[in-house]
C-alpha cells in the first residue's frame, strides 16, 4: 500500500518470515509478532528507508515533474541530428528528381521517428523509474500526461528539396494542439503497458510464492 516495488516487498516479507520461524524455533507455540515491532510502524520505516536510497524517491517532484520534458527535447535533438547525418550519407536529402521513393520514405520516417522515439523512451524510462524507486504509479501517470501533452502540441513539417538548397524541416509547438493524436496516444500506451505489467506481477506473486 506504500507503493514500494514488488521485489522489495517480497524481500522484506521473506525477512519477516525468517524472523517468525526463529521465534517459533525458540519453543514458542505461536510467533509473537509483537517482538518484531508494530507492523504499521515497520512498514512506514521500510518505505522511508527504501525511498531514501533513491534520488527519485527523495525528490519525486523534481524528477518526474521537471525532468521528462527537457529529457525528451534533448533526446529528440540527438535523434534528429543522427538522422540528418544518416540521411545525408544515404543521399535521401538530394533534390526530389534525383531520389527514389525509398529515399523519400526514409526521410519521412526519420522525421516522425525523431519525435516518436523520445516520447516512448522517456515515458518508459521515467515510468519504470517511478515504479522502481517506490514513488508510485501516480508519478508514472504524471510523466504520461506530460508526454501526451507534448506529443499533442508538437508539430513537424518536412519539405523535401526539389532543387539544391530549397528543402526545409521545421518543428515547434502549436496552440491549440496540432492534432497529432498518434503522438499523444503512444505515451499512454506505454504507461498502460507498464501498469499492466506491474499489476500482472503483483497478481501472480502469491502463486509463485506458494
Amino acid at each position: 500500500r506504500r507503493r514500494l516495488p514488488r521485489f522489495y516487498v517480497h524481500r522484506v516479507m521473506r525477512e519477516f518470515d525468517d524472523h517468525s520461524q526463529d521465534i517459533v524455533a525458540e519453543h514458542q507455540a505461536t510467533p509473537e509478532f509483537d517482538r518484531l515491532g508494530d507492523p504499521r510502524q515497520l512498514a512506514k520505516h521500510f518505505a522511508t528507508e527504501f525511498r531514501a536510497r533513491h534520488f527519485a524517491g527523495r525528490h519525486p517532484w523534481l524528477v518526474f515533474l521537471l525532468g521528462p520534458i527537457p529529457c525528451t527535447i534533448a533526446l529528440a535533438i540527438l535523434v534528429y541530428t543522427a538522422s540528418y547525418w544518416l540521411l545525408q550519407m544515404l543521399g535521401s536529402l538530394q533534390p526530389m528528381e534525383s531520389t527514389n521513393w525509398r529515399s523519400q520514405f526514409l526521410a519521412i520516417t526519420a522525421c516522425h521517428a525523431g519525435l516518436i522515439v523520445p516520447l516512448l523512451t522517456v515515458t518508459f524510462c521515467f515510468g519504470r523509474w517511478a515504479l522502481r524507486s517506490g514513488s508510485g504509479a501516480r508519478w508514472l501517470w504524471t510523466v504520461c500526461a506530460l508526454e501526451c501533452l507534448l506529443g499533442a502540441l508538437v508539430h513537424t513539417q518536412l519539405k523535401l528539396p526539389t532543387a539544391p538548397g530549397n528543402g526545409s524541416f521545421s518543428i515547434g509547438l502549436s496552440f491549440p494542439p496540432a492534432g497529432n493524436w498518434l503522438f499523444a496516444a503512444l505515451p499512454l500506451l506505454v504507461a498502460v503497458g507498464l501498469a499492466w505489467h506491474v499489476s500482472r506481477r503483483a497478481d501472480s506473486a502469491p502463486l509463485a510464492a506458494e
Side-chain angles (χ1 to χ4, degrees):
R1 293 180 179 179
R2 293 181 180 271
R3 306 185 303 275
L4 296 181
R6 186 61 50 181
F7 76 89
Y8 185 72
V9 174
H10 290 169
R11 181 190 305 171
V12 171
M13 294 308 297
R14 284 196 299 269
E15 292 177 0
F16 270 100
D17 185 59
D18 292 340
H19 287 306
S20 65
Q21 290 179 10
D22 292 339
I23 294 174
V24 173
E26 294 177 2
H27 308 290
Q28 300 287 344
T30 57
E32 295 180 359
F33 289 104
D34 290 341
R35 293 175 58 180
L36 298 176
D38 180 68
R40 293 179 181 176
Q41 292 298 322
L42 285 171
K44 182 179 179 180
H45 167 74
F46 281 118
T48 302
E49 183 183 61
F50 181 82
R51 293 193 182 102
R53 301 176 185 175
H54 303 270
F55 181 82
R58 297 191 303 270
H59 309 285
W61 288 88
L62 178 63
V63 173
F64 302 112
L65 194 61
L66 302 180
I69 299 300
C71 288
T72 304
I73 295 173
L75 185 56
I77 292 173
L78 290 176
V79 173
Y80 277 125
T81 301
S83 299
Y84 172 79
W85 290 110
L86 179 62
L87 292 175
Q88 283 279 41
M89 293 173 58
L90 296 176
S92 298
L93 299 181
Q94 299 300 319
M96 189 174 296
E97 289 82 3
S98 62
T99 59
N100 55 38
W101 67 271
R102 290 186 180 87
S103 298
Q104 297 174 25
F105 175 77
L106 286 175
I108 296 173
T109 301
C111 174
H112 292 299
L115 183 59
I116 291 175
V117 171
L119 287 175
L120 296 181
T121 302
V122 170
T123 303
F124 177 81
C125 292
F126 274 81
R128 190 172 183 271
W129 193 5
L131 298 175
R132 298 281 292 183
S133 66
S135 301
R138 60 180 178 175
W139 291 110
L140 162 65
W141 297 114
T142 299
V143 173
C144 173
L146 290 172
E147 294 298 294
C148 287
L149 178 62
L150 180 63
L153 293 177
V154 169
H155 70 87
T156 60
Q157 183 176 6
L158 174 67
K159 180 181 178 182
L160 294 174
T162 56
N166 72 344
S168 64
F169 170 73
S170 63
I171 182 170
L173 299 177
S174 61
F175 299 93
N180 295 322
W181 304 119
L182 174 62
F183 294 158
L186 289 175
L188 179 61
L189 294 177
V190 173
V192 170
L194 277 172
W196 175 83
H197 177 68
V198 171
S199 64
R200 183 173 176 270
R201 289 183 61 186
D203 293 338
S204 63
L207 297 176
E210 294 175 1

